[in-house]
Amino acid sequence: MTIFMGKFKLAGHFLMLSLQQTLRCKEQRFVEETVRLISNGKVGKKSDLVQARSWVGALNVTGLPSNQFILRYDRASGPGGQNVNKVNSKCTLTLPGLSNCTWIPQEVRNILRSGKFRYYAKSSDSIVIQSDETRSRETNKLKCVKKLVQEIQQTCQFPNETTAETAKKWTKIKEKANKERLLEKKVHSDKKKNRGRITSNY
């Protein structure tokens, strides 16, 4: 009975150590990832990330280069009476070759092509937006452009620029976490070395 209880306690002890080690590893990876993102050589200067954030913030309907887009008008479907069958009011706005659109910052293009942007067609590397909400071609065109601007601003969210002081703070946190991890590792190793076998009392 003593052997059984001893083995049960030992198994529980190993389980707790394993759980603690897993949590420490996750915490360590989080700290390292945070430090890597902050200390990426862009601190204290106007980086591409800052330029992309400024570009997205200043984006508006009138600021888009119209010569970069392809417009097509087709007959709409749905309610609207005979108008939808006679007038090409449905507007399709296409931006081809998104990867080569240098007027869009690279950081923004990366996000739009990552799968988070609902209007991006990966097969053709283009942005396609449609609108047939009204009977007016110009109104539908304006709605397409507004959809594009709003969706870009909602999809492209950038963190604020990190100061050198904050980066230094996270570096210290990483160093402290490393020291604690090595100390825990040494303590655990010493416990294993000093651990004796469980003996029977009968």
Side-chain angles (χ1 to χ4, degrees), residues 61-71 93-97 101-103 141 145 148:
V61 174
T62 59
L64 294 174
S66 58
N67 61 336
Q68 299 292 324
F69 295 87
I70 299 175
L71 286 173
L93 181 73
T94 304
L95 176 62
C101 293
T102 55
W103 59 275
K141 172 187 172 183
V145 178
L148 175 63

Side-chain angles (χ1 to χ4, degrees), residues 7-70:
K7 288 183 177 180
F8 181 77
K9 291 180 180 179
L10 186 60
H13 180 68
F14 278 134
L15 181 61
M16 288 299 298
L17 286 177
S18 178
L19 181 60
Q20 291 175 359
Q21 188 174 7
T22 302
L23 292 175
R24 290 193 195 98
C25 289
K26 287 184 178 180
E27 181 181 357
Q28 178 69 17
R29 285 196 296 268
F30 171 77
V31 172
E32 290 177 354
E33 180 66 13
T34 305
V35 173
R36 184 186 68 80
L37 291 174
I38 293 176
S39 306
N40 57 0
K42 295 182 179 180
V43 178
K45 64 180 181 180
K46 193 170 184 180
S47 64
D48 294 339
L49 194 65
V50 176
Q51 293 176 0
R53 184 172 64 245
S54 300
W55 184 88
V56 172
L59 187 63
N60 57 66
V61 174
T62 59
L64 294 174
S66 58
N67 61 336
Q68 299 292 324
F69 295 87
I70 299 175

Side-chain angles (χ1 to χ4, degrees), residues 11 15 19 21 26 29 33 53 57 79 83 89 98 109 117-118 126 144 147 151 164 167 169-170 182-183 198:
L15 181 61
L19 181 60
Q21 188 174 7
K26 287 184 178 180
R29 285 196 296 268
E33 180 66 13
R53 184 172 64 245
N83 181 76
S89 59
L98 176 62
R109 279 181 279 164
F117 192 64
R118 60 183 297 190
S126 59
C144 286
K147 285 181 183 179
E151 194 67 23
K169 175 183 176 181
W170 277 100
L182 293 175
L183 180 61
I198 300 175

Side-chain angles (χ1 to χ4, degrees), residues 74-121:
D74 303 296
R75 292 182 183 179
S77 61
Q82 302 238 345
N83 181 76
V84 297
N85 298 320
K86 295 180 179 180
V87 181
N88 292 337
S89 59
K90 176 183 176 181
C91 178
T92 301
L93 181 73
T94 304
L95 176 62
L98 176 62
S99 302
N100 300 321
C101 293
T102 55
W103 59 275
I104 301 177
Q106 184 64 52
E107 295 288 340
V108 176
R109 279 181 279 164
N110 291 342
I111 294 177
L112 299 183
R113 296 174 63 245
S114 66
K116 299 178 181 179
F117 192 64
R118 60 183 297 190
Y119 299 119
Y120 176 68

